[in-house]
Amino acid sequence: MPELMLDDPDGTLVMLRDSVTGFAARFPGAKAMRERRGRGGTMDPLIWSAMAEAGWIGLLLPEECGGAGLGLREQAVLSEALGRALIAEPTGTASVFAATLLGGASPGAERSRLAAGVASGEMVAVPAWTSGAKPVVARSVNGSIALSGETRFVDAARAATDFLVVAQDADGVMLLSVAADADGVTISERVGVDGSALATISFSDCAVPADRVLSRANRSEELLRQAILHTRLALAAELTGLASKALELTIAYTSDRVQFGKPIGSFQAIQHRLVDMWIEAEFAAAAVVNAVDSLQADDVDTAELAVLAAKARAGEAAFSICRRAVHLHGAMGYTDECDIGLYLKRAINLNAMLGQPEQLRLEFVERESGYRRGRT
Amino acid sequence: MASDWNDIPDEEFRSIFRTWVDQNCPSHLRYMRKQRPLFNEVAVWYHALAAKGWLAPTWPRQYGGMGLSAAKHMIYVEEWGRLGCPRIPDHGIGLVGPLLIEYGSEEQKAHYLPRILSGEHVWCQGYSEPNAGSDLASLQTSAVLDGDEFVVNGQKIWTTLAHCANWIFVLVRTERDAKVRQKGITVLLLDLTSPGVRVRPIANLRGEADFCEVFFDNVRVPLKNLVGKINEGWTVAKSVLGHERIFLGAPTRPEYALERLRRLADARGAFEDPAFMSRFARLRLDLYDLGSAFERYAKVLRAGGELGAGVSALKIFTTELYQRITEEMLTVAGEEARLADDLAAGDVEIDAMNLFLDSRSPAIFGGSNEIQRNILAKAVLRLPG
């Protein structure tokens, strides 16, 4: 089945894939997803710390911060493998996004503390940056910082030890960490489609010590841009793995399921649908590889286009492959018992994160040629 | 002249090839509206390539070719397209040459290969018949051995450029009762000027005659024109395309069509319309990702690997994308889509209808997209039969 094809001269990528396969045998993805749903969306700390132990959570963090010091190629392969194995942990946000912010933050005690904690799994630092109805605003008060406002769609908020908050201040945007149990922090959760919980976090005159500032204006915008870029790539890879696996399961099911005296996978109507699904998965893998290559070889504007394309392609492919996969499983596919529905729900969640395909495509065209909706 | 083109770094080869082609391909032949010009229309370019020794990119050098690797051949084809050079009648170069080099006798190679390079022989390919299209193995054109000659009767159809060819590479049935239909098929080299041959061009939807019917009425073909063994022509016929299959999936046509759509849309103010913008963005990204997918397979060739059956994905995607782009052109044209001729867009003419009609055929030829899907279902997805 389609997968990322990247040069692997020293065998690192194979090792990463193998380690995910081993991990999935210990912590089967579908089982973990069902259990999390049963707990109301709270992350299993055992799984997260095992992932940290494997070196995955701090994969992008520099070695001097306690991370693995690996790059986006390795991250893409890891994320793809996690997607295939349906290890539906908040890797995109609590690992890739957080590690990119921390890796680029101003050197200092707070950055060191968090980076080491994140890499080891002892801390969970969750990015909280999507503005809600009231954007998060930072004011200086007596040498500390007071935060007010709210931020939405925060993953794993109950498991978080710290939030990495993006707040507006007089100079622009600042990045700072906030202890999850600080006074003035309220977490309200909603149930995510895949059984994870998504939180809105409200800050009400929440006092944050000034030494928790991770970066100031100018630098923060750039950091955020980079974190979005890396996370979109990781999500695209995860969606590619997920799509490829959902297709594989559907090929197995239709090859096995007999009606009219034959496997339904022998019927041309079914075969052509499966082929179209395979082509979409193949294109998703190619788009992600293109983005990985572009991030290594090209200027940042070109690379950002490649990543927009990859996230759009992989998201669309995963959503559409999983929809058809459910259909091709027949009535079984509509049952909660059958795993294929979990793939669909996971695909919906990741596809909607950091831009749906339509939005990403419009952004691509606008950036590439200056065309905008409604004007040229 | 380099001793071996494959020893030259890719970018240097690209530059040498590009410079010479740009200087030597006549400007009136660039970006021809006609997809398949006749031999006479492009003969000057054909002979120029032959004189330079660059007419047959993949033939071994001992036969007058360039001996290019798949990687270098891709550069050759890319630059050819980028400079808007016309397609030449290439069945001799791309099909008959490679087949004779692999399956032909020494005598056949010595006789035919130089005549392809000189342009004395212009070849066409006699595969499809009225009742044998996708199901090629059901072909019925017969050849019966009579002394040291075959007597050929029957009909071929969709024979591209037969009306400017003087030789045909033809599949005939030599054994009617074979248990497996693929058995009993034989490959013959047939002189189209022989008595009993009649060629009738067929007008296509664009009003041009790219392809023909070819009728055989007791046409006598010498035994020495047999390629390979009698009744074992199927293997020969099927081995035609190796790495060249990647070119069926090249993004060239949709690339050109999208640029035309962009110009038309600009001139018509379509980018003001959010609904158009959304459709345009999808087409643009489909083209962009087709480039990434093409590269996925090109990389395999550059590394010296062989293309698997999966390369059919490119053919399906590129031909269907080409159709969707040209359909969008007609939408943007509005009521002007009622017109047969070109549409003015600022200082250029956009051949929207011409492209729309042209885009019907690539999804059919080279193995229809449904056949490609059957191949993928079997060879890649390994679905039950």
Side-chain angles (χ1 to χ4, degrees):
Chain A
M1 286 301 104
E3 67 171 16
L4 305 186
M5 296 194 328
L6 291 162
D7 293 337
D8 186 20
D10 58 1
T12 311
L13 303 184
V14 171
M15 226 166 61
L16 270 171
R17 284 187 172 124
D18 288 349
S19 68
V20 174
T21 309
F23 188 94
R26 281 167 62 207
F27 302 103
K31 180 166 169 276
M33 269 183 89
R34 291 198 165 90
E35 285 173 1
R36 185 178 62 188
R37 188 176 63 185
R39 283 192 307 273
T42 313
M43 193 165 101
D44 183 346
L46 201 66
I47 295 182
W48 192 254
S49 58
M51 288 174 72
E53 219 166 282
W56 300 341
I57 308 305
L59 184 130
L60 287 175
L61 279 168
E63 280 174 280
E64 68 267 20
C65 294
L70 294 174
L72 292 168
R73 295 165 62 79
E74 290 80 6
Q75 183 64 54
V77 166
L78 172 65
S79 291
E80 179 198 28
L82 293 173
R84 278 191 76 80
L86 200 64
I87 297 173
E89 303 302 320
T91 316
T93 45
S95 165
V96 177
F97 205 113
T100 305
L101 290 180
L102 292 172
S106 313
E110 179 61 3
R111 175 194 184 233
S112 303
R113 180 186 76 87
L114 284 170
V118 164
S120 71
E122 285 157 42
M123 297 173 198
V124 180
V126 179
W129 64 280
T130 308
S131 286
K134 291 164 286 177
V136 180
V137 174
R139 284 176 297 118
S140 284
V141 180
N142 303 329
S144 74
I145 292 155
L147 291 183
S148 292
E150 64 174 39
T151 168
R152 307 166 71 203
F153 302 117
V154 179
D155 275 330
R158 292 282 171 212
T161 54
D162 299 84
F163 296 117
L164 301 175
V165 179
V166 173
Q168 292 173 7
D169 66 4
D171 303 322
V173 168
M174 74 157 66
L175 171 68
L176 68 173
S177 74
V178 179
D181 58 1
D183 287 339
V185 174
T186 315
I187 297 171
S188 71
E189 287 186 321
R190 295 180 69 183
V191 184
V193 60
D194 61 358
S196 61
L198 291 171
T200 294
I201 300 175
S202 305
F203 302 96
S204 161
D205 274 325
C206 172
V208 183
D211 58 10
R212 275 184 167 258
V213 173
L214 290 163
S215 76
R216 297 278 179 181
N218 300 329
R219 180 74 191 131
S220 299
E221 284 89 348
E222 177 51 30
L223 264 183
L224 194 57
R225 183 176 167 180
Q226 208 173 41
I228 292 171
L229 185 70
H230 293 180
T231 309
R232 278 181 177 153
L233 177 76
L235 292 173
E238 193 171 342
L239 283 157
T240 299
L242 186 81
S244 184
K245 181 66 182 183
L247 172 62
E248 190 180 311
L249 292 172
T250 311
I251 289 173
Y253 180 81
T254 53
S255 299
D256 197 45
R257 167 77 176 161
V258 174
Q259 288 287 274
F260 305 105
K262 291 164 97 179
I264 61 171
S266 66
F267 300 131
Q268 202 174 38
I270 307 278
Q271 291 190 343
H272 285 195
R273 280 171 201 225
L274 288 166
V275 167
D276 287 341
M277 289 157 72
W278 178 83
I279 292 174
E280 286 180 30
E282 186 77 352
F283 271 61
V288 172
V289 168
N290 176 61
V292 169
D293 287 345
S294 186
L295 280 159
Q296 288 184 326
D298 301 329
D299 61 275
V300 66
D301 290 331
T302 311
E304 282 186 338
L305 289 180
V307 170
L308 286 170
K311 172 67 169 62
R313 175 67 51 187
E316 180 123 341
F319 185 27
S320 122
I321 286 170
C322 290
R323 280 192 322 256
R324 285 177 285 173
V326 164
H327 180 80
L328 290 171
H329 277 73
M332 273 309 294
Y334 192 60
T335 63
D336 183 53
E337 183 192 333
C338 180
D339 286 349
I340 201 68
L342 297 176
Y343 286 83
L344 173 62
K345 290 173 176 179
R346 183 67 177 162
I348 294 172
N349 182 359
L350 298 184
N351 179 45
M353 198 188 292
L354 290 183
Q356 294 224 17
E358 170 82 358
Q359 178 199 333
L360 300 171
R361 284 192 295 259
L362 288 169
E363 192 175 331
F364 180 106
V365 172
E366 181 184 326
R367 285 221 218 157
E368 184 188 46
S369 56
Y371 290 118
R372 250 177 221 271
R373 267 179 292 189
R375 70 173 178 76
T376 55
Chain B
M1 186 69 60
S3 60
D4 188 342
W5 290 111
N6 298 317
D7 293 340
I8 298 178
D10 282 358
E11 287 317 303
E12 192 183 332
F13 172 74
R14 186 185 295 279
S15 156
I16 294 172
F17 182 72
R18 183 184 175 84
T19 305
W20 184 86
V21 170
D22 199 22
Q23 284 165 1
N24 290 276
C25 182
S27 57
H28 72 278
L29 295 182
R30 305 286 186 93
Y31 296 102
M32 286 179 84
R33 181 190 180 103
K34 225 176 188 179
Q35 291 285 355
R36 300 303 306 251
L38 301 178
F39 187 84
N40 287 340
E41 294 168 321
V42 291
V44 54
W45 175 226
Y46 191 99
H47 294 309
L49 283 162
K52 182 73 176 168
W54 288 5
L55 182 59
T58 60
W59 294 12
R61 296 170 65 90
Q62 64 187 106
Y63 299 116
M66 294 175 83
L68 297 188
S69 64
K72 290 285 192 299
H73 188 207
M74 281 191 288
I75 294 173
Y76 180 107
V77 173
E78 263 170 39
E79 291 304 320
W80 185 290
R82 224 171 263 173
L83 293 165
C85 303
R87 182 140 181 207
I88 49 176
D90 50 12
H91 290 105
I93 301 298
L95 175 74
V96 180
L99 278 175
L100 290 180
I101 288 164
E102 185 158 355
Y103 295 98
S105 65
E106 287 311 313
E107 193 194 344
Q108 286 172 335
K109 285 185 243 188
H111 180 76
Y112 291 104
L113 296 180
R115 287 171 173 79
I116 292 172
L117 294 175
S118 72
E120 181 187 339
H121 288 180
V122 180
W123 285 87
C124 60
Q125 173 189 5
Y127 277 28
S128 293
E129 297 181 4
N131 290 315
S134 293
D135 182 15
L136 184 61
S138 68
L139 62 92
Q140 293 298 325
T141 294
S142 71
V144 177
L145 203 51
D146 177 24
D148 58 358
E149 287 180 328
F150 289 101
V151 181
V152 177
N153 280 286
Q155 181 195 348
K156 294 290 171 182
I157 196 168
W158 321 129
T159 315
T160 301
L161 295 184
H163 52 320
C164 77
N166 47 22
W167 280 80
I168 187 168
F169 167 89
V170 66
L171 295 187
V172 293
R173 183 158 293 287
T174 36
E175 164 72 64
R176 269 195 194 285
D177 305 322
K179 283 210 179 77
V180 183
R181 292 178 312 155
Q182 281 79 2
K183 278 287 200 182
I185 290 173
T186 299
V187 174
L188 297 180
L189 308 175
L190 189 152
D191 183 348
L192 281 173
T193 62
S194 312
V197 176
R198 190 162 61 86
V199 174
R200 191 183 76 85
I202 306 170
N204 64 27
L205 288 184
R206 296 159 65 228
E208 286 173 2
D210 288 352
F211 45 36
C212 302
E213 288 177 291
V214 183
F215 301 91
F216 306 97
D217 180 14
N218 287 318
V219 179
R220 301 192 79 84
V221 179
L223 182 58
K224 63 174 185 179
N225 288 14
L226 165 71
V227 181
K229 292 187 182 142
I230 197 160
N231 290 338
E232 289 180 18
W234 187 253
T235 327
V236 179
K238 283 278 143 182
S239 74
V240 172
L241 294 177
H243 77 265
E244 287 85 352
R245 285 180 301 149
I246 197 172
F247 299 128
L248 284 171
T252 327
R253 279 186 164 95
E255 217 164 67
Y256 178 76
L258 193 76
E259 180 53 25
R260 302 272 101 185
L261 169 63
R262 198 186 59 70
R263 282 176 177 243
L264 184 66
D266 245 345
R268 297 293 184 276
F271 286 106
E272 306 283 333
D273 171 9
F276 170 76
M277 196 62 223
S278 159
R279 299 194 300 270
F280 178 82
R282 184 180 286 276
L283 297 171
R284 171 67 190 107
L285 270 290
D286 281 347
L287 178 63
Y288 181 87
D289 292 339
L290 173 59
S292 303
F294 188 83
E295 177 62 19
R296 182 175 169 89
Y297 289 88
K299 236 183 227 169
V300 172
L301 290 179
R302 279 200 296 271
E306 300 216 341
L307 290 177
V311 72
S312 286
L314 299 180
K315 196 269 181 181
I316 293 172
F317 197 94
T318 193
T319 55
E320 294 178 1
L321 175 58
Y322 183 36
Q323 296 188 332
R324 286 186 286 123
I325 293 170
T326 62
E327 286 154 20
E328 186 61 37
M329 292 177 92
L330 297 195
T331 302
V332 170
E335 187 150 9
E336 281 184 293
R338 298 171 68 190
L339 299 169
D341 56 4
D342 297 354
L343 308 178
D347 50 359
V348 288
E349 299 271 302
I350 304 293
D351 56 337
M353 187 58 70
N354 179 49
L355 289 173
F356 168 79
L357 293 173
D358 182 61
S359 72
R360 301 302 99 192
S361 69
I364 303 166
F365 67 54
S368 75
N369 288 9
E370 285 64 36
I371 292 294
Q372 304 290 343
R373 286 183 170 88
N374 288 352
I375 292 169
L376 288 168
K378 195 171 158 193
V380 177
L381 275 59
R382 311 218 172 271
L383 289 166

